[in-house]
Amino acid sequence: MNPDFAIVLNYQLNDKADADFLVKTARNIGARAVMTDRQTEDFKTACAKYTIFLANPENSTDLTKDNVIDTMVNNRKAGKTTIINVPVEAGKFSAATQAMLDTINDWMHQFGHAFNEGKTSALTSSDGFILENRHANYQKYVFLPSPLPDKIVVEGLVEEPNRVEWIEHRTDLDFNYKDQKLTINLVKPDDEFAWQVLRIQAHRPEDDILETKF
């Protein structure tokens, strides 16, 4: 399976359902793949429409709003995809299922890009763990569990980064780099999540391009 598919929604249908709505729901919460064992032709059409991958059924997990983010993040730390059971009863979600999907949506809306495209990094952090963007390795992502410390120390960088920021709202963070140790002073993010994510961005050649004025 494509490593960019950090989560997959496994739709479990007990009756005919609106495949277009279900695939659109997956797309909107940041999933890049779905699976199901019913209405496969309907799902193929919807997946083509929304550019979502229709995966073959695999083992999947029952999760809730209380454990879904922890499970997703810990699986990603281990380089795994989280396949989430999503029951659909008479074409609808139960209140518990909707609450779980809302939790995924709120978190993925902020951090989905880093989460989907992150891979294991050789860097280490004094708290949490680090992934790097598999398509743009000048971007590293530090995943930090709440409650947050006042600062963290990242080791392994060979040069001072160009920018360090919370991904949410791109809030700049103060940092100091010395002897391949990056000390980052944390400030409280705008919103509270069980896992927060900050971005470390290395210096890129395009950063040296001067602005052209006409």
Side-chain angles (χ1 to χ4, degrees):
M1 190 177 294
N2 189 318
D4 283 351
F5 301 160
I7 60 173
V8 180
L9 301 190
N10 178 29
Y11 284 120
Q12 300 177 316
L13 281 57
N14 71 351
D15 201 349
K16 187 171 177 60
D18 184 346
D20 188 281
F21 165 75
L22 296 176
V23 173
K24 184 178 180 180
T25 297
R27 190 275 311 268
N28 287 349
I29 70 171
R32 298 181 179 181
V34 299
M35 59 179 59
T36 187
D37 61 359
R38 301 184 67 172
Q39 293 182 233
T40 53
E41 290 304 315
D42 293 337
F43 273 85
K44 285 179 182 178
T45 299
C47 285
K49 177 180 177 180
Y50 294 108
T51 319
I52 296 292
F53 182 73
L54 181 59
N56 293 324
E58 295 183 25
N59 292 335
S60 48
T61 306
D62 292 325
L63 297 172
T64 70
K65 67 179 181 65
D66 297 319
N67 64 9
V68 66
I69 300 301
D70 276 343
T71 302
M72 287 165 45
V73 172
N74 285 318
N75 280 343
R76 204 55 169 164
K77 179 182 179 182
K80 299 178 181 179
T81 295
T82 303
I83 304 176
I84 304 167
N85 287 331
V86 182
V88 184
E89 302 169 3
K92 297 180 180 180
F93 302 132
S94 68
T97 297
Q98 186 62 60
M100 178 187 69
L101 293 173
D102 289 344
T103 298
I104 297 171
N105 178 72
D106 291 345
W107 193 82
M108 290 290 286
H109 181 71
Q110 299 294 340
F111 312 120
H113 180 78
F115 187 65
N116 275 316
E117 299 189 1
K119 69 173 185 176
T120 303
S121 171
L123 303 182
T124 61
S125 174
S126 58
D127 204 313
F129 68 96
I130 301 176
L131 300 180
E132 69 176 50
N133 190 305
R134 67 171 47 84
H135 306 294
N137 64 7
Y138 58 83
Q139 291 191 350
K140 320 293 186 187
Y141 309 115
V142 185
F143 288 72
L144 294 166
S146 295
L148 297 170
D150 293 330
K151 65 180 180 180
I152 60 171
V153 178
V154 173
E155 298 190 53
L157 287 169
V158 297
E159 62 181 4
E160 182 174 346
N162 186 50
R163 181 184 176 98
V164 178
E165 62 188 4
W166 286 124
I167 285 182
E168 182 189 13
H169 304 314
R170 302 194 67 177
T171 302
D172 283 317
L173 296 171
D174 291 331
F175 64 88
N176 176 265
Y177 178 77
K178 184 178 181 181
D179 298 330
Q180 295 191 357
K181 291 185 179 181
L182 177 68
T183 301
I184 304 170
N185 298 313
L186 302 179
V187 297
K188 185 178 180 180
D190 291 338
D191 297 310
E192 293 187 10
F193 291 101
W195 286 86
Q196 299 283 353
V197 187
L198 65 82
R199 178 191 293 111
I200 301 170
Q201 183 158 302
H203 186 82
R204 304 166 299 168
E206 54 263 43
D207 294 326
D208 297 325
I209 299 175
L210 298 177
E211 180 182 359
T212 301
K213 296 183 179 180
F214 297 95

